[in-house]
Amino acid sequence: MGPVSSLSTRSWVVFGVMIGLIMVVTPVCSNKFDQLFQARWALDHFVYQGDTLKMKLDKFSGAGFSSKSKYMFGKVTVQIKLVEGDSAGTVTAFYMSSDGPKHHEFDFEFLGNTTGEPYLVQTNVYVNGVGNREQRLNLWFDPSKDFHSYSILWNQRQVVFLVDDTPIRVHSNLEHKGLPFPKDQAMGVYSSIWNADDWATQGGRVKTDWSHAPFIASYRGFEIDGCECPTTVAPADVSRRCSSSAEKRFWWDEPRLSTLSLHQSHQLTWVRAHHMIYDYCTDTARFPVTPTECQHHHH
């Protein structure tokens, strides 16, 4: 996961519980950090305060955590309160990723800024190890003042990025157009905070002011409602194990979740019209020929 150098509802879950009563394989759903996640690096940069986890970045290190298991399809959510004040040069990331050079990945990257300037949210999608699908937007609130929910919904038809259950991006399955879609690799859930002042803020022109350190990102409301994939399951069996069949039905395979609802489509249109500031699909300098998925995605 990383930068591009040139760019230097809850109702779903309730519905899922109902469907889950007839499932053979039960999804994992918990809001406790230590049940679902573990500190991944810089353990001395973690602070636990009740149900809230804080990760800090200073001149010595950032920090990161990962899920204890990998998952195929479902919805992951975390509530984050981003670094307050002068956060220029910092990046806080929340993402899903599989392993290996041909990995799949869905990224939220929150790019800090100088005091008074808006936080930018960059999303990206990697398929078979290939990314370069960045979109950037500012938010309709200050994400450093309070906790807000950030979610990724993933099924065989689409990947949806949501902020407080408002969709901000959709990556649709276009296999019928000959394009690969990420549906064959179990993915872990990760978050990290680090110094990226070589690219994160105004293309790297604004550097991290370490006099404001430590920079702290706070987390709570951890939820994973997906198909857990033990390491003993062969990769070839992962997708079949987590897909609905005559014997079991998963909530994420319900037809109504194959596309956005009309209300969600209107929300996405509003976000794109009022808050989108960069879309790789319209960057003719990077892509003289419009990427194929951009010709078909309504995102």
Side-chain angles (χ1 to χ4, degrees):
M1 187 192 58
V4 173
S5 57
S6 65
L7 288 176
S8 300
T9 342
R10 191 58 198 169
S11 61
W12 294 347
V13 177
V14 172
F15 186 79
V17 171
M18 297 169 59
I19 296 299
L21 296 176
I22 60 172
M23 285 170 38
V24 176
V25 183
T26 304
V28 175
C29 187
S30 170
N31 61 2
K32 294 183 172 60
F33 175 81
D34 57 0
Q35 288 183 5
L36 296 173
F37 295 93
Q38 59 193 355
R40 187 174 175 88
W41 50 284
L43 275 61
D44 60 342
H45 283 52
F46 285 75
V47 177
Y48 301 89
Q49 295 179 342
D51 292 334
T52 300
L53 164 70
K54 296 185 176 183
M55 287 197 303
K56 65 180 183 180
L57 163 68
D58 55 28
K59 292 189 81 169
F60 302 100
S61 180
F65 63 79
S66 65
S67 58
K68 294 181 178 180
S69 300
K70 287 184 168 58
Y71 304 86
M72 175 69 78
F73 307 133
K75 186 180 182 183
V76 301
T77 299
V78 66
Q79 296 177 25
I80 309 174
K81 182 166 70 172
L82 293 166
V83 176
E84 295 188 64
D86 187 346
S87 57
T90 71
V91 173
T92 304
F94 170 55
Y95 61 104
M96 298 183 71
S97 182
S98 57
D99 299 325
K102 297 288 188 179
H103 76 292
H104 305 323
E105 188 173 324
F106 314 138
D107 297 337
F108 276 103
E109 291 178 313
F110 304 93
L111 314 182
N113 219 326
T114 52
T115 303
E117 294 295 315
Y119 248 96
L120 299 183
V121 180
Q122 175 168 289
T123 59
N124 203 353
V125 175
Y126 285 73
V127 183
N128 294 330
V130 179
N132 298 326
R133 298 181 177 92
E134 297 83 4
Q135 292 182 356
R136 286 187 181 183
L137 55 100
N138 52 46
L139 293 167
W140 49 97
F141 54 83
D142 183 342
S144 70
K145 296 303 183 186
D146 203 352
F147 287 92
H148 291 270
S149 294
Y150 303 93
S151 306
I152 299 169
L153 170 72
W154 174 33
N155 59 33
Q156 298 190 67
R157 303 306 308 159
Q158 60 180 354
V159 180
V160 186
F161 295 77
L162 303 113
V163 176
D164 291 335
D165 275 335
T166 295
I168 65 166
R169 179 174 187 166
V170 177
H171 183 83
S172 303
N173 185 330
L174 295 173
E175 290 178 306
H176 63 288
K177 298 292 185 180
L179 298 175
F181 183 78
K183 65 174 190 178
D184 59 345
Q185 299 177 33
M187 303 174 80
V189 186
Y190 304 88
S191 187
S192 56
I193 182 171
W194 78 94
N195 177 44
D197 66 4
D198 58 328
W199 68 274
T201 306
Q202 297 181 29
R205 290 187 293 275
V206 181
K207 302 300 182 181
T208 303
D209 183 349
W210 293 108
S211 69
H212 295 293
F215 301 99
I216 296 174
S218 302
Y219 298 79
R220 70 183 187 192
F222 302 93
E223 298 180 23
I224 299 178
D225 192 350
C227 181
E228 186 173 5
C229 298
T231 55
T232 53
V233 176
D237 296 328
V238 164
S239 183
R240 178 168 51 83
R241 182 180 188 274
C242 296
S243 299
S244 295
S245 65
E247 293 76 32
K248 61 182 183 293
R249 294 179 64 193
F250 292 106
W251 65 266
W252 49 82
D253 286 330
E254 290 302 308
R256 68 187 190 87
L257 295 179
S258 63
T259 60
L260 296 185
S261 68
L262 181 60
H263 175 63
Q264 290 174 322
S265 295
H266 290 161
Q267 288 179 312
L268 180 60
T269 298
W270 176 83
V271 169
R272 291 182 57 83
H274 296 280
H275 295 279
M276 176 90 54
I277 60 172
Y278 175 83
D279 184 358
Y280 77 105
C281 285
T282 59
D283 190 338
T284 55
R286 288 178 67 201
F287 302 102
V289 177
T290 302
T292 303
E293 71 259 28
C294 297
Q295 302 171 26
H296 303 284
H297 274 155
H298 298 294
H299 67 309

